[in-house]
């Protein structure tokens, strides 16, 4: 089929730590839409959580539907796969969108359970406690390859890596427990890290879209109704996500 089939999942962590999954389906292939309208096919979404061994199949005719997973059902990595499946016997099905390799006016018979279309799986991360604070996506990593007094940022792990010389990392870790020093650390290190992370999310989305940190920041941005684009002012958004650490410093100094 040479037509678009897209299912957009949205996972929202509720106050009781249950997870509300809302699915929005888009389909442009007319013959499949007709099968759905005639109750001969449905949208089917499989939710698979390796951590909890949950595998759940949702099947509906509606283009948008929701399902609420109880607390603890989904945790950490969640893979979502979407299909259009046959729900009744279909004979002589044809479509102008069929690939030319099938030949002109090719016809097919389907039985319940046959997959008529599919979308590549997408991966999400569900961690209620992890998602509460943007600072939880960072992990301090000592590295003597980094010169004293500077730091580097890495995005290849589940958490964003802040790499510092081991001596600097030890001092930084000690200062993190200080309520007075925390805004300074946020303004000097985390602000830069969040800004660059937002930039990398736009420029290299496909490279990092399965990382845990990617989904935590995406969740925070969606909460604010913001769409990340190349012309986004990343530094201003980073300040907002970190609750404006520069202002907290200035206010604490009585300015």
């Amino acid at each position: 089929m040479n037509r678009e089939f897209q299912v957009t999942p949205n996972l929202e962590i509720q106050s009781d730590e249950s997870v509300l999954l809302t699915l929005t389906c888009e389909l442009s292939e007319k013959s499949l839409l007709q099968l759905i309208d005639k109750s001969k096919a449905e949208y089917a979404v499989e939710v698979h959580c390796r951590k909890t061994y949950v595998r759940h199949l949702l099947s509906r005719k509606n283009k948008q539907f929701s399902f609420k997973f109880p607390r603890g059902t989904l945790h950490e990595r969640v893979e979502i796969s979407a299909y259009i499946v046959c729900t009744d016997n279909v004979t002589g099905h044809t479509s102008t969108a069929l690939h030319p390799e099938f030949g002109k006016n090719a016809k097919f018979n389907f039985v319940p359970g046959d997959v008529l279309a599919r979308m590549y799986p997408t991966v999400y991360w569900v961690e209620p406690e992890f998602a509460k604070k943007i600072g939880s996506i960072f992990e301090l990593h000592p590295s003597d390859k980094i010169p004293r007094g500077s730091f580097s940022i890495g995005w290849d792990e589940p958490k964003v890596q802040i790499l510092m010389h081991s001596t600097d990392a030890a001092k930084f870790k000690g200062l993190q427990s200080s309520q007075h020093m925390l805004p300074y650390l946020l303004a000097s290190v985390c602000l830069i890290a969040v800004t660059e992370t937002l930039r990398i999310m736009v420029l290299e989305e496909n490279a990092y879209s399965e990382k845990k940190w990617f989904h935590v920041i995406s969740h925070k941005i969606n909460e604010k109704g913001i769409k990340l684009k190349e012309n986004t002012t990343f530094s201003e958004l980073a300040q907002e996500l970190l609750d404006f650490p520069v202002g907290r410093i200035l206010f604490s100094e009585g300015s």
Side-chain angles (χ1 to χ4, degrees):
M1 293 285 185
N2 297 315
R3 293 291 187 271
E4 179 180 317
F5 171 51
Q6 179 82 29
V7 176
T8 304
N10 180 57
L11 289 89
E12 183 179 344
I13 299 172
Q14 307 292 287
S15 58
D16 61 355
E17 296 189 0
S18 61
V19 178
L20 179 65
L21 172 64
T22 302
L23 299 145
T24 303
C25 308
E26 296 178 13
L27 175 64
S28 63
E29 209 291 304
K30 291 182 180 179
S31 71
L32 294 184
L33 285 169
Q34 290 172 356
L35 290 180
I36 294 172
D37 289 340
K38 294 176 181 178
S39 297
K40 291 183 176 292
E42 289 184 342
Y43 302 103
V45 176
E46 183 184 42
V47 182
H48 179 209
C49 180
R50 296 180 182 179
K51 184 75 172 181
T52 61
Y53 301 102
V54 165
R55 190 184 292 272
H56 195 88
L57 181 67
L58 307 169
S59 181
R60 303 285 191 279
K61 280 183 58 178
N62 300 335
K63 290 184 177 181
Q64 186 175 75
F65 53 96
S66 300
F67 186 85
K68 191 172 184 179
F69 291 87
R71 176 183 178 181
T73 308
L74 302 181
H75 185 62
E76 294 188 357
R77 190 180 192 274
V78 176
E79 186 174 278
I80 297 177
S81 304
Y83 312 89
I84 295 174
V85 296
C86 189
T87 56
D88 197 357
N89 292 316
V90 175
T91 57
H93 180 80
T94 188
S95 170
T96 57
L98 288 172
H99 196 281
E101 70 180 13
F102 292 111
K104 190 175 182 180
N105 299 321
K107 295 183 179 181
F108 298 90
N109 299 328
F110 301 120
V111 297
D114 283 350
V115 175
L116 309 180
R118 69 182 292 268
M119 190 184 80
Y120 286 107
T122 51
V123 173
Y124 293 82
W125 287 87
V126 177
E127 277 195 80
E129 290 301 321
F130 186 84
K132 286 181 180 177
K133 293 184 178 180
I134 200 73
S136 64
I137 69 166
F138 295 104
E139 184 173 66
L140 187 62
H141 187 77
S143 173
D144 289 340
K145 294 180 180 180
I146 306 299
R148 291 287 309 275
S150 66
F151 67 94
S152 184
I153 307 167
W155 295 279
D156 293 330
E157 301 298 327
K159 291 187 178 185
V160 175
Q161 301 290 298
I162 296 179
L163 299 98
M164 291 183 177
H165 190 277
S166 56
T167 303
D168 294 345
K171 290 184 177 180
F172 186 92
K173 190 172 183 179
L175 292 172
Q176 281 182 305
S177 60
S178 169
Q179 287 295 107
H180 175 70
M181 290 300 299
L182 186 58
Y184 291 92
L185 299 179
L186 291 174
S188 61
V189 176
C190 293
L191 184 55
I192 295 174
V194 173
T195 300
E196 290 306 307
T197 299
L198 291 170
R199 194 186 314 278
I200 210 75
M201 287 176 68
V202 171
L203 299 180
E204 299 185 43
E205 176 182 359
N206 293 333
Y208 299 106
S209 59
E210 292 193 7
K211 299 298 182 184
K212 185 186 297 187
W213 59 260
F214 187 99
H215 291 284
V216 172
I217 295 184
S218 296
H219 175 74
K220 290 294 184 183
I221 292 171
N222 290 337
E223 279 185 340
K224 297 179 180 294
I226 298 169
K227 297 293 183 182
L228 271 182
K229 302 176 182 178
E230 286 191 25
N231 60 353
T232 301
T233 307
F234 299 115
S235 60
E236 292 182 3
L237 178 55
Q239 292 177 69
E240 185 176 352
L241 292 174
L242 290 171
D243 296 325
F244 303 99
V246 175
R248 288 155 65 185
I249 293 170
L250 296 176
F251 297 150
S252 68
E253 296 298 330
S255 301

